[in-house]
Amino acid sequence: MASLYQAQKKIYPRSVSGLFSRWRWAMVLLTQLVFYGLPWLEWGQRQAVLFDLGLKRFYIFGLVLYPQDFIYLTGILVISALALFLFTAVAGRQWCGYACPQTVYTEIFLWLEKLTEGDRSARLRLDASPMSLNKLARKTGKQVLWLAVSLWTGFTFVGYFTPIKELGLSFVNLGMGPWETFWVCFYGFATYGNAGFMREQVCKYMCPYARFQSAMFDKDTLIVTYDAARGEPRGSRSRKADPKALNLGSCVDCTLCVQVCPTGIDIRKGLQYECISCAACIDVCDTVMDKMSYPRGLIRYSTQNAVAQGWGHAKVLRRVFRPRVLVYTAILGAVTIGLFLSLALRTPFKVDVIRDRASLARIVGGGKIENVYRLQVMNATESPQSYRITAYGLPGLVLASEGRVDVDAAQSRWVAVTLQLPYEAASPGSHAINFEIEAIDSSARVTEKSVFLIPR
Ligand code: SF4
Ligand code: SF4
């Protein structure tokens, strides 16, 4: 019977050291320092970075954003996408190899695996051996460490959406709410599954970036390349042997580049979509070249054009400034400047006006028509503010309620506002009016449209 499904062979990546490995670990440390550390930072009396979904307020250091500021989130997403286009066109999948959470957590999990089960050959032996106390202890130790990291990651993730100190206290007192528990477990489980078990399969089959990156690549994009002209014909030989006399290239066919590859590919077969540009194969091949006293760089970061035409660094660098890169840079620069300008110039408070549906319009004493509104005033600054409310748009329109509202720092407040108009001042129907809300110190002003109803 022919099976339509081919089971994945488990990959046992060998650990590697070298220049790019150090860069990868530097990125692991940097990204994780930011991810795990940021929610514990304080800004004044509150958490510096907090996306408080309950209160519908986002705090990013001195910035207080409301749902009405959603446009900035859109701007950040557009900038991220453009940056990805630009960096991919220039440097290929560097994001995948050094900073993508999938790579970063897989690196951490592989390190814990090596700590408990040993390097590649020891792991291969352990998996092939029958169950024993030693095997059980090593396997259990690994799972416990993986679970601890996963749960801590889930906890930290939730700490961006609910104050992390309170979350920590409720965790210690076993009093976490059902939603918080669900999301800690959900995100923790995703980390555990993706970094512990699925690993390269996420990059190969689940990540959309791997699929559409080819549209952003060209022959001048930096990729990890094997110099076939120099390496072939490959073959083993002694260190002292002269490869020319043996009619061999520089590749000693040690397969170490395949053994260190986290996605299990052989870079000597050429550029493949599974390659995440992690450069582990460069590091290991350089050590082989050193041992053989051959020049380094049989596998190296280069471009297809550079390898095919033997270009030097200077020419490769010049090709970075090609039209598509310049266009991406110009658009990215314009959108980034636009976002920062609009953030710098934005009004430090927002107002929503809602008509009171319980009493659309009524006649009150003195022959006046009265309309009632509810105003939500949102203070987006870090200090308490007072605002003056006025309305205009119809002759004789007056404010019949409190004309001043005080709002605490980074808080919002609902106030009922009553407007009155002499009965004969306008014809029956709906009339456009404006509310003007101004900071008491006249530093900012917001105008909101509404309508005044006059019954027949
Ligand atoms: S590590 Fe280098 S020398 Fe060894 S097989 Fe790979 S390309 Fe050849
Ligand atoms: S081929 Fe090299 S750079 Fe690509 S994923 Fe494998 S080890 Fe990393």
Side-chain angles (χ1 to χ4, degrees):
M1 192 173 69
S3 171
L4 295 177
Y5 174 73
Q6 189 185 13
Q8 285 286 327
K9 270 175 74 183
K10 187 174 172 187
I11 295 173
Y12 293 82
R14 191 189 192 103
S15 67
V16 64
S17 58
L19 175 69
F20 298 108
S21 169
R22 285 196 291 280
W23 270 110
R24 205 162 44 256
W25 269 105
M27 286 305 290
V28 169
L29 292 176
L30 182 71
T31 51
Q32 296 318 289
L33 202 68
V34 171
F35 175 71
Y36 291 114
L38 209 52
W40 295 98
L41 275 187
E42 293 279 308
W43 185 267
Q45 300 299 310
R46 61 164 170 81
Q47 193 169 315
V49 178
L50 178 66
F51 306 112
D52 195 330
L53 298 179
L55 286 177
K56 298 193 184 107
R57 218 157 297 156
F58 292 177
Y59 304 98
I60 305 170
F61 295 96
L63 205 61
V64 183
L65 299 173
Y66 287 87
Q68 288 83 347
D69 294 312
F70 199 74
I71 185 75
Y72 297 117
L73 180 64
T74 312
I76 290 169
L77 291 178
V78 170
I79 287 173
S80 308
L82 285 169
L84 202 61
F85 289 175
L86 173 63
F87 294 132
T88 306
V90 174
R93 293 181 74 177
Q94 305 301 316
W95 161 259
C96 301
Y98 295 88
C100 171
Q102 179 61 25
T103 304
V104 165
Y105 286 105
T106 301
E107 194 79 17
I108 295 171
F109 274 48
L110 277 171
W111 176 69
L112 293 173
E113 196 166 61
K114 188 180 165 198
L115 211 65
T116 47
E117 295 183 1
D119 204 356
R120 176 186 152 88
S121 43
R123 292 204 304 274
L124 279 163
R125 275 199 308 276
L126 190 73
D127 277 3
S129 68
M131 184 51 78
S132 65
L133 208 59
N134 173 48
K135 184 170 178 175
L136 186 69
R138 286 178 183 278
K139 293 272 173 200
T140 311
K142 178 179 82 174
Q143 297 298 333
V144 168
L145 288 174
W146 279 5
L147 278 170
V149 172
S150 302
L151 283 178
W152 188 247
T153 307
F155 172 83
T156 305
F157 180 74
V158 175
Y160 280 91
F161 298 92
T162 191
I164 199 161
K165 287 186 180 166
E166 290 168 28
L167 186 70
L169 273 178
S170 54
F171 176 73
V172 171
N173 298 326
L174 301 177
M176 260 178 21
W179 278 113
E180 288 156 345
T181 309
F182 170 78
W183 284 112
V184 168
C185 293
F186 181 85
Y187 197 75
F189 185 71
T191 309
Y192 178 70
N194 287 350
F197 300 97
M198 298 175 74
R199 293 186 179 171
E200 77 287 349
Q201 296 184 42
V202 175
C203 309
K204 281 159 105 173
Y205 307 118
M206 292 163 70
C207 176
Y209 178 49
R211 300 283 155 181
F212 67 75
Q213 59 167 320
S214 54
M216 290 178 264
F217 272 42
D218 59 29
K219 290 195 167 167
D220 290 311
T221 298
L222 203 64
I223 50 170
V224 174
T225 53
Y226 166 70
D227 191 341
R230 192 190 131 188
E232 302 296 323
R234 67 187 76 161
S236 60
R237 79 289 310 257
S238 79
R239 261 188 232 179
K240 289 187 186 127
D242 176 9
K244 279 200 187 110
L246 296 169
N247 195 26
L248 288 174
S250 295
C251 176
V252 299
D253 207 12
C254 60
T255 71
L256 283 175
C257 51
V258 183
Q259 293 177 35
V260 296
C261 180
T263 63
I265 59 169
D266 185 345
I267 192 66
R268 294 173 299 171
K269 291 181 181 163
L271 178 63
Q272 294 146 74
Y273 81 92
E274 294 96 334
C275 176
I276 57 168
S277 241
C278 68
C281 53
I282 300 183
D283 277 337
V284 82
C285 191
D286 279 348
T287 57
V288 175
M289 293 297 107
D290 288 351
K291 276 187 197 142
M292 298 300 294
S293 306
Y294 297 166
R296 287 179 160 210
L298 176 58
I299 303 178
R300 61 182 182 271
Y301 275 119
S302 190
T303 68
Q304 283 174 284
N305 268 339
V307 171
Q309 298 174 43
W311 289 349
H313 287 314
K315 179 101 192 245
V316 173
L317 266 181
R318 272 204 302 279
R319 290 296 299 158
V320 168
F321 303 102
R322 53 196 187 277
R324 74 185 299 180
V325 173
L326 296 178
V327 169
Y328 285 155
T329 310
I331 300 174
L332 179 63
V335 177
T336 308
I337 291 171
L339 180 79
F340 277 101
L341 268 181
S342 83
L343 263 175
L345 298 175
R346 82 187 181 120
T347 315
F349 68 97
K350 311 206 165 296
V351 179
D352 264 353
V353 178
I354 297 174
R355 287 190 50 82
D356 188 348
R357 305 227 169 259
S359 103
L360 286 180
R362 63 177 177 225
I363 299 170
V364 292
K368 288 184 174 169
I369 307 288
E370 185 174 273
N371 279 201
V372 182
Y373 306 80
R374 295 182 72 222
L375 265 62
Q376 187 188 22
V377 185
M378 293 162 265
N379 178 5
T381 70
E382 294 285 332
S383 53
Q385 299 287 335
S386 299
Y387 306 98
R388 192 182 304 116
I389 301 171
T390 51
Y392 63 89
L394 285 173
L397 187 69
V398 291
L399 197 77
S401 55
E402 179 67 57
R404 174 185 166 130
V405 55
D406 301 322
V407 186
D408 286 341
Q411 297 297 319
S412 68
R413 196 176 149 193
W414 284 98
V415 285
V417 174
T418 307
L419 295 183
Q420 289 183 351
L421 186 76
Y423 193 70
E424 300 298 334
S427 56
S430 168
H431 299 271
I433 58 161
N434 290 302
F435 280 98
E436 190 171 273
I437 302 92
E438 187 182 24
I440 287 289
D441 60 7
S442 303
S443 58
R445 183 185 304 146
V446 167
T447 303
E448 281 292 317
K449 289 186 178 136
S450 189
V451 291
F452 192 93
L453 295 180
I454 300 179
R456 291 181 190 282

